Amino acid sequence: MESALDQPVLVLNRLWQAINTCSVRRAFTLLYQGQAQVVSAEEGNDFSTHDYRSWWDISQAKPEPVMVKTISFNIRIPRVIVLLMFDRLPKKEVKFTRHNVFERDKSTCQYCGKTFDRVGLNLDHVLPRDRGGQTTWENIVCSCIPCNTRKGNRLPHEAGMQLIRKPKRPKWRPFVNVSFTHHPHDSWKHFLDLAYWNVELGD
Ligand SMILES: [Zn+2]
């Protein structure tokens, strides 16, 4: 059985956006160093934050069945932490893969705005390849086959077409699409839902 210290903790940035997971062990280090605080779910969607001292206090006042046991005391397992600084963010570039382009574009044709099964979509070079267009986040979009055919070897405006949004490199790995090796903890749900909506509506 895995140690409680190896369990995953959801990591939020200062804007309370889910960005990553780390181990309980790492979360305690960040907590102890004052680089992060525990986010604890109260009734409903109210959250409180705790530094190491206050988490220790709450652990003694409200123990849970599963705790991290140290030599002298038990402490509750944090499930979500929030980083207090920006410069400690683990920088994870989103890999430029076919899968991630489909994820970024939500399997939606970037010309007609319709959603398709993946088999119904191509990757289109906005500036065609033989006119110097590169295979990059900024020049590749999902396109349905009819739109792709209509556009052909032209720029969108030359074909009387328009992109529904400007293609960009995603800022954060769209968290909802990360395949979890662990079942996400219940207390993550609020932040993952939030991440989902942020991905959906954000730039
Ligand atoms: Zn289309």
Short mmCIF file of all heavy atoms in Angstrom, two decimals, residues 116-159:
data_model
loop_
_atom_site.label_atom_id
_atom_site.label_comp_id
_atom_site.label_asym_id
_atom_site.label_seq_id
_atom_site.Cartn_x
_atom_site.Cartn_y
_atom_site.Cartn_z
N PHE A 116 -17.02 18.21 -33.81
CA PHE A 116 -16.98 16.96 -34.56
C PHE A 116 -16.30 15.86 -33.75
O PHE A 116 -15.57 16.16 -32.81
CB PHE A 116 -16.18 17.14 -35.86
CG PHE A 116 -16.83 18.03 -36.87
CD1 PHE A 116 -16.68 19.41 -36.80
CD2 PHE A 116 -17.61 17.49 -37.89
CE1 PHE A 116 -17.28 20.24 -37.73
CE2 PHE A 116 -18.22 18.32 -38.82
CZ PHE A 116 -18.05 19.70 -38.74
N ASP A 117 -16.53 14.64 -34.16
CA ASP A 117 -15.67 13.55 -33.71
C ASP A 117 -14.29 13.82 -34.28
O ASP A 117 -14.17 14.48 -35.30
CB ASP A 117 -16.15 12.21 -34.30
CG ASP A 117 -17.37 11.68 -33.58
OD1 ASP A 117 -17.65 12.17 -32.46
OD2 ASP A 117 -18.03 10.80 -34.14
N ARG A 118 -13.31 13.23 -33.62
CA ARG A 118 -11.96 13.51 -34.09
C ARG A 118 -11.72 13.08 -35.54
O ARG A 118 -10.97 13.72 -36.26
CB ARG A 118 -10.95 12.83 -33.18
CG ARG A 118 -11.00 13.51 -31.84
CD ARG A 118 -9.85 13.18 -30.98
NE ARG A 118 -9.93 14.09 -29.83
CZ ARG A 118 -8.95 14.28 -28.97
NH1 ARG A 118 -7.83 13.63 -29.11
NH2 ARG A 118 -9.10 15.11 -27.97
N VAL A 119 -12.40 12.04 -35.95
CA VAL A 119 -12.20 11.57 -37.34
C VAL A 119 -12.74 12.59 -38.34
O VAL A 119 -12.34 12.56 -39.50
CB VAL A 119 -12.83 10.19 -37.60
CG1 VAL A 119 -12.05 9.09 -36.90
CG2 VAL A 119 -14.30 10.16 -37.19
N GLY A 120 -13.62 13.46 -37.88
CA GLY A 120 -14.19 14.46 -38.79
C GLY A 120 -13.38 15.74 -38.87
O GLY A 120 -13.80 16.70 -39.51
N LEU A 121 -12.26 15.76 -38.19
CA LEU A 121 -11.45 16.98 -38.15
C LEU A 121 -10.04 16.75 -38.67
O LEU A 121 -9.43 15.70 -38.43
CB LEU A 121 -11.36 17.49 -36.70
CG LEU A 121 -12.61 18.13 -36.10
CD1 LEU A 121 -12.46 18.25 -34.60
CD2 LEU A 121 -12.89 19.48 -36.73
N ASN A 122 -9.54 17.77 -39.35
CA ASN A 122 -8.13 17.80 -39.76
C ASN A 122 -7.42 18.88 -38.96
O ASN A 122 -8.06 19.76 -38.41
CB ASN A 122 -8.01 18.21 -41.23
CG ASN A 122 -8.35 17.08 -42.17
OD1 ASN A 122 -8.25 15.92 -41.81
ND2 ASN A 122 -8.77 17.44 -43.38
N LEU A 123 -6.11 18.84 -39.02
CA LEU A 123 -5.35 19.98 -38.53
C LEU A 123 -5.02 20.84 -39.74
O LEU A 123 -4.50 20.35 -40.74
CB LEU A 123 -4.08 19.52 -37.82
CG LEU A 123 -4.31 18.72 -36.52
CD1 LEU A 123 -3.00 18.43 -35.82
CD2 LEU A 123 -5.26 19.45 -35.58
N ASP A 124 -5.36 22.11 -39.65
CA ASP A 124 -5.17 23.03 -40.78
C ASP A 124 -4.05 24.01 -40.46
O ASP A 124 -3.99 24.55 -39.36
CB ASP A 124 -6.48 23.80 -41.02
CG ASP A 124 -6.31 24.87 -42.09
OD1 ASP A 124 -6.04 24.50 -43.25
OD2 ASP A 124 -6.43 26.08 -41.75
N HIS A 125 -3.18 24.23 -41.44
CA HIS A 125 -2.21 25.32 -41.34
C HIS A 125 -2.92 26.60 -41.77
O HIS A 125 -3.34 26.70 -42.92
CB HIS A 125 -1.01 25.08 -42.27
CG HIS A 125 -0.07 24.03 -41.78
ND1 HIS A 125 -0.34 22.68 -41.88
CD2 HIS A 125 1.14 24.13 -41.18
CE1 HIS A 125 0.68 22.01 -41.35
NE2 HIS A 125 1.59 22.86 -40.92
N VAL A 126 -3.07 27.56 -40.86
CA VAL A 126 -3.78 28.81 -41.20
C VAL A 126 -3.07 29.48 -42.37
O VAL A 126 -3.67 29.77 -43.40
CB VAL A 126 -3.86 29.74 -39.96
CG1 VAL A 126 -4.58 31.04 -40.32
CG2 VAL A 126 -4.58 29.04 -38.80
N LEU A 127 -1.77 29.76 -42.19
CA LEU A 127 -0.95 30.16 -43.33
C LEU A 127 -0.41 28.87 -43.94
O LEU A 127 0.30 28.13 -43.27
CB LEU A 127 0.22 31.06 -42.87
CG LEU A 127 1.25 31.44 -43.94
CD1 LEU A 127 0.64 32.29 -45.05
CD2 LEU A 127 2.44 32.15 -43.31
N PRO A 128 -0.82 28.58 -45.18
CA PRO A 128 -0.45 27.27 -45.76
C PRO A 128 1.06 27.00 -45.72
O PRO A 128 1.86 27.93 -45.81
CB PRO A 128 -0.96 27.37 -47.20
CG PRO A 128 -2.03 28.41 -47.16
CD PRO A 128 -1.61 29.39 -46.11
N ARG A 129 1.37 25.74 -45.59
CA ARG A 129 2.77 25.33 -45.46
C ARG A 129 3.63 25.80 -46.62
O ARG A 129 4.72 26.28 -46.42
CB ARG A 129 2.84 23.81 -45.37
CG ARG A 129 3.57 23.38 -44.12
CD ARG A 129 3.74 21.90 -44.04
NE ARG A 129 2.53 21.17 -44.43
CZ ARG A 129 2.30 19.91 -44.11
NH1 ARG A 129 3.19 19.25 -43.40
NH2 ARG A 129 1.21 19.29 -44.48
N ASP A 130 3.08 25.68 -47.85
CA ASP A 130 3.93 26.03 -49.00
C ASP A 130 4.02 27.54 -49.18
O ASP A 130 4.64 28.03 -50.12
CB ASP A 130 3.47 25.32 -50.28
CG ASP A 130 2.07 25.69 -50.69
OD1 ASP A 130 1.47 26.58 -50.04
OD2 ASP A 130 1.55 25.08 -51.65
N ARG A 131 3.39 28.29 -48.27
CA ARG A 131 3.60 29.74 -48.26
C ARG A 131 4.35 30.15 -47.00
O ARG A 131 4.29 31.28 -46.56
CB ARG A 131 2.25 30.45 -48.37
CG ARG A 131 1.65 30.22 -49.78
CD ARG A 131 0.21 30.60 -49.88
NE ARG A 131 0.00 32.03 -49.68
CZ ARG A 131 -1.18 32.64 -49.87
NH1 ARG A 131 -2.23 31.94 -50.26
NH2 ARG A 131 -1.30 33.91 -49.67
N GLY A 132 5.04 29.21 -46.45
CA GLY A 132 5.91 29.50 -45.32
C GLY A 132 5.26 29.27 -43.95
O GLY A 132 5.87 29.57 -42.93
N GLY A 133 4.03 28.76 -43.95
CA GLY A 133 3.35 28.52 -42.68
C GLY A 133 4.03 27.42 -41.88
O GLY A 133 4.40 26.39 -42.44
N GLN A 134 4.18 27.67 -40.60
CA GLN A 134 4.88 26.70 -39.76
C GLN A 134 3.89 25.85 -38.98
O GLN A 134 2.73 26.21 -38.81
CB GLN A 134 5.82 27.44 -38.82
CG GLN A 134 6.93 28.13 -39.60
CD GLN A 134 7.99 28.70 -38.69
OE1 GLN A 134 7.68 29.17 -37.59
NE2 GLN A 134 9.22 28.65 -39.13
N THR A 135 4.40 24.74 -38.52
CA THR A 135 3.59 23.85 -37.70
C THR A 135 3.82 24.24 -36.24
O THR A 135 4.70 23.71 -35.58
CB THR A 135 3.98 22.38 -37.98
OG1 THR A 135 3.87 22.16 -39.39
CG2 THR A 135 3.05 21.41 -37.27
N THR A 136 3.05 25.20 -35.79
CA THR A 136 3.19 25.73 -34.44
C THR A 136 1.80 25.93 -33.84
O THR A 136 0.80 25.92 -34.56
CB THR A 136 3.88 27.11 -34.45
OG1 THR A 136 3.09 28.00 -35.26
CG2 THR A 136 5.28 27.05 -35.01
N TRP A 137 1.78 26.13 -32.54
CA TRP A 137 0.51 26.42 -31.84
C TRP A 137 -0.23 27.56 -32.51
O TRP A 137 -1.46 27.58 -32.56
CB TRP A 137 0.79 26.83 -30.39
CG TRP A 137 1.05 25.73 -29.44
CD1 TRP A 137 2.22 25.47 -28.78
CD2 TRP A 137 0.11 24.74 -28.97
NE1 TRP A 137 2.06 24.39 -27.95
CE2 TRP A 137 0.78 23.93 -28.05
CE3 TRP A 137 -1.24 24.48 -29.25
CZ2 TRP A 137 0.16 22.87 -27.40
CZ3 TRP A 137 -1.86 23.43 -28.61
CH2 TRP A 137 -1.16 22.63 -27.69
N GLU A 138 0.52 28.57 -33.00
CA GLU A 138 -0.09 29.79 -33.51
C GLU A 138 -0.58 29.65 -34.96
O GLU A 138 -1.28 30.52 -35.46
CB GLU A 138 0.90 30.96 -33.42
CG GLU A 138 1.27 31.38 -32.00
CD GLU A 138 2.26 30.46 -31.31
OE1 GLU A 138 2.92 29.65 -32.01
OE2 GLU A 138 2.38 30.52 -30.06
N ASN A 139 -0.18 28.56 -35.61
CA ASN A 139 -0.56 28.41 -37.01
C ASN A 139 -1.35 27.14 -37.31
O ASN A 139 -1.67 26.88 -38.47
CB ASN A 139 0.69 28.49 -37.91
CG ASN A 139 0.34 28.73 -39.37
OD1 ASN A 139 -0.47 29.61 -39.68
ND2 ASN A 139 0.92 27.93 -40.27
N ILE A 140 -1.66 26.36 -36.29
CA ILE A 140 -2.39 25.11 -36.50
C ILE A 140 -3.73 25.18 -35.78
O ILE A 140 -3.78 25.56 -34.61
CB ILE A 140 -1.58 23.90 -35.94
CG1 ILE A 140 -0.31 23.67 -36.74
CG2 ILE A 140 -2.43 22.63 -35.90
CD1 ILE A 140 -0.52 23.02 -38.09
N VAL A 141 -4.78 24.86 -36.49
CA VAL A 141 -6.11 24.80 -35.86
C VAL A 141 -6.84 23.55 -36.32
O VAL A 141 -6.52 22.97 -37.35
CB VAL A 141 -6.99 26.04 -36.21
CG1 VAL A 141 -6.42 27.32 -35.63
CG2 VAL A 141 -7.20 26.16 -37.72
N CYS A 142 -7.86 23.16 -35.55
CA CYS A 142 -8.75 22.09 -35.99
C CYS A 142 -9.69 22.65 -37.05
O CYS A 142 -10.21 23.76 -36.91
CB CYS A 142 -9.60 21.59 -34.82
SG CYS A 142 -8.69 20.60 -33.65
N SER A 143 -9.89 21.86 -38.07
CA SER A 143 -10.80 22.27 -39.14
C SER A 143 -11.57 21.04 -39.60
O SER A 143 -11.00 19.97 -39.75
CB SER A 143 -9.97 22.84 -40.29
OG SER A 143 -10.75 22.92 -41.45
N CYS A 144 -12.88 21.22 -39.84
CA CYS A 144 -13.64 20.09 -40.36
C CYS A 144 -13.26 19.89 -41.83
O CYS A 144 -12.67 20.78 -42.46
CB CYS A 144 -15.14 20.31 -40.19
SG CYS A 144 -15.85 21.55 -41.28
N ILE A 145 -13.60 18.75 -42.36
CA ILE A 145 -13.14 18.43 -43.71
C ILE A 145 -13.77 19.37 -44.76
O ILE A 145 -13.06 19.89 -45.62
CB ILE A 145 -13.29 16.92 -43.99
CG1 ILE A 145 -12.24 16.21 -43.12
CG2 ILE A 145 -13.11 16.58 -45.46
CD1 ILE A 145 -12.56 14.81 -42.71
N PRO A 146 -15.09 19.66 -44.67
CA PRO A 146 -15.64 20.63 -45.64
C PRO A 146 -14.95 22.00 -45.59
O PRO A 146 -14.63 22.57 -46.64
CB PRO A 146 -17.12 20.75 -45.23
CG PRO A 146 -17.42 19.47 -44.53
CD PRO A 146 -16.15 19.05 -43.85
N CYS A 147 -14.69 22.53 -44.38
CA CYS A 147 -14.01 23.83 -44.27
C CYS A 147 -12.59 23.74 -44.81
O CYS A 147 -12.10 24.65 -45.48
CB CYS A 147 -13.99 24.32 -42.82
SG CYS A 147 -15.58 24.92 -42.25
N ASN A 148 -11.93 22.63 -44.49
CA ASN A 148 -10.57 22.41 -44.94
C ASN A 148 -10.50 22.40 -46.47
O ASN A 148 -9.61 23.01 -47.08
CB ASN A 148 -10.09 21.07 -44.39
CG ASN A 148 -8.59 21.04 -44.18
OD1 ASN A 148 -7.92 20.18 -44.73
ND2 ASN A 148 -8.07 21.98 -43.43
N THR A 149 -11.47 21.74 -47.07
CA THR A 149 -11.52 21.64 -48.52
C THR A 149 -11.81 23.00 -49.14
O THR A 149 -11.18 23.41 -50.12
CB THR A 149 -12.62 20.63 -48.94
OG1 THR A 149 -12.39 19.42 -48.21
CG2 THR A 149 -12.60 20.34 -50.42
N ARG A 150 -12.75 23.71 -48.52
CA ARG A 150 -13.13 25.02 -49.03
C ARG A 150 -11.95 26.00 -48.95
O ARG A 150 -11.70 26.78 -49.88
CB ARG A 150 -14.31 25.54 -48.20
CG ARG A 150 -14.83 26.86 -48.68
CD ARG A 150 -16.03 27.31 -47.85
NE ARG A 150 -16.07 28.76 -47.83
CZ ARG A 150 -16.66 29.50 -46.91
NH1 ARG A 150 -17.27 28.91 -45.88
NH2 ARG A 150 -16.66 30.81 -46.99
N LYS A 151 -11.22 25.94 -47.87
CA LYS A 151 -10.10 26.86 -47.68
C LYS A 151 -8.96 26.55 -48.64
O LYS A 151 -8.35 27.44 -49.22
CB LYS A 151 -9.62 26.79 -46.23
CG LYS A 151 -8.42 27.69 -45.94
CD LYS A 151 -8.13 27.72 -44.44
CE LYS A 151 -6.88 28.51 -44.12
NZ LYS A 151 -5.64 27.78 -44.31
N GLY A 152 -8.74 25.24 -48.81
CA GLY A 152 -7.67 24.80 -49.71
C GLY A 152 -6.34 25.41 -49.34
O GLY A 152 -5.99 25.48 -48.17
N ASN A 153 -5.68 25.93 -50.36
CA ASN A 153 -4.32 26.42 -50.16
C ASN A 153 -4.30 27.94 -50.01
O ASN A 153 -3.44 28.60 -50.56
CB ASN A 153 -3.48 25.97 -51.35
CG ASN A 153 -2.05 25.74 -50.92
OD1 ASN A 153 -1.78 25.51 -49.74
ND2 ASN A 153 -1.12 25.81 -51.87
N ARG A 154 -5.28 28.44 -49.28
CA ARG A 154 -5.40 29.90 -49.18
C ARG A 154 -5.38 30.35 -47.73
O ARG A 154 -5.56 29.55 -46.81
CB ARG A 154 -6.73 30.36 -49.82
CG ARG A 154 -6.79 30.06 -51.31
CD ARG A 154 -8.12 30.46 -51.90
NE ARG A 154 -9.20 29.57 -51.48
CZ ARG A 154 -10.47 29.71 -51.86
NH1 ARG A 154 -10.82 30.71 -52.67
NH2 ARG A 154 -11.39 28.88 -51.45
N LEU A 155 -5.20 31.64 -47.56
CA LEU A 155 -5.39 32.22 -46.23
C LEU A 155 -6.89 32.30 -45.97
O LEU A 155 -7.68 32.39 -46.93
CB LEU A 155 -4.79 33.63 -46.17
CG LEU A 155 -3.28 33.68 -45.97
CD1 LEU A 155 -2.74 35.06 -46.34
CD2 LEU A 155 -2.93 33.34 -44.52
N PRO A 156 -7.31 32.29 -44.69
CA PRO A 156 -8.76 32.31 -44.42
C PRO A 156 -9.49 33.44 -45.16
O PRO A 156 -10.51 33.17 -45.82
CB PRO A 156 -8.83 32.49 -42.90
CG PRO A 156 -7.53 31.98 -42.37
CD PRO A 156 -6.52 32.20 -43.45
N HIS A 157 -8.95 34.67 -45.10
CA HIS A 157 -9.70 35.78 -45.72
C HIS A 157 -9.77 35.64 -47.23
O HIS A 157 -10.73 36.08 -47.87
CB HIS A 157 -9.11 37.14 -45.30
CG HIS A 157 -7.81 37.48 -45.95
ND1 HIS A 157 -6.59 37.16 -45.38
CD2 HIS A 157 -7.53 38.08 -47.13
CE1 HIS A 157 -5.62 37.57 -46.20
NE2 HIS A 157 -6.15 38.13 -47.26
N GLU A 158 -8.77 34.99 -47.82
CA GLU A 158 -8.80 34.78 -49.28
C GLU A 158 -9.93 33.82 -49.67
O GLU A 158 -10.40 33.84 -50.80
CB GLU A 158 -7.46 34.21 -49.76
CG GLU A 158 -6.30 35.18 -49.60
CD GLU A 158 -4.94 34.52 -49.83
OE1 GLU A 158 -4.87 33.28 -49.93
OE2 GLU A 158 -3.95 35.27 -49.89
N ALA A 159 -10.30 32.98 -48.70
CA ALA A 159 -11.38 32.02 -48.96
C ALA A 159 -12.70 32.52 -48.39
O ALA A 159 -13.68 31.78 -48.34
CB ALA A 159 -11.01 30.66 -48.36
#
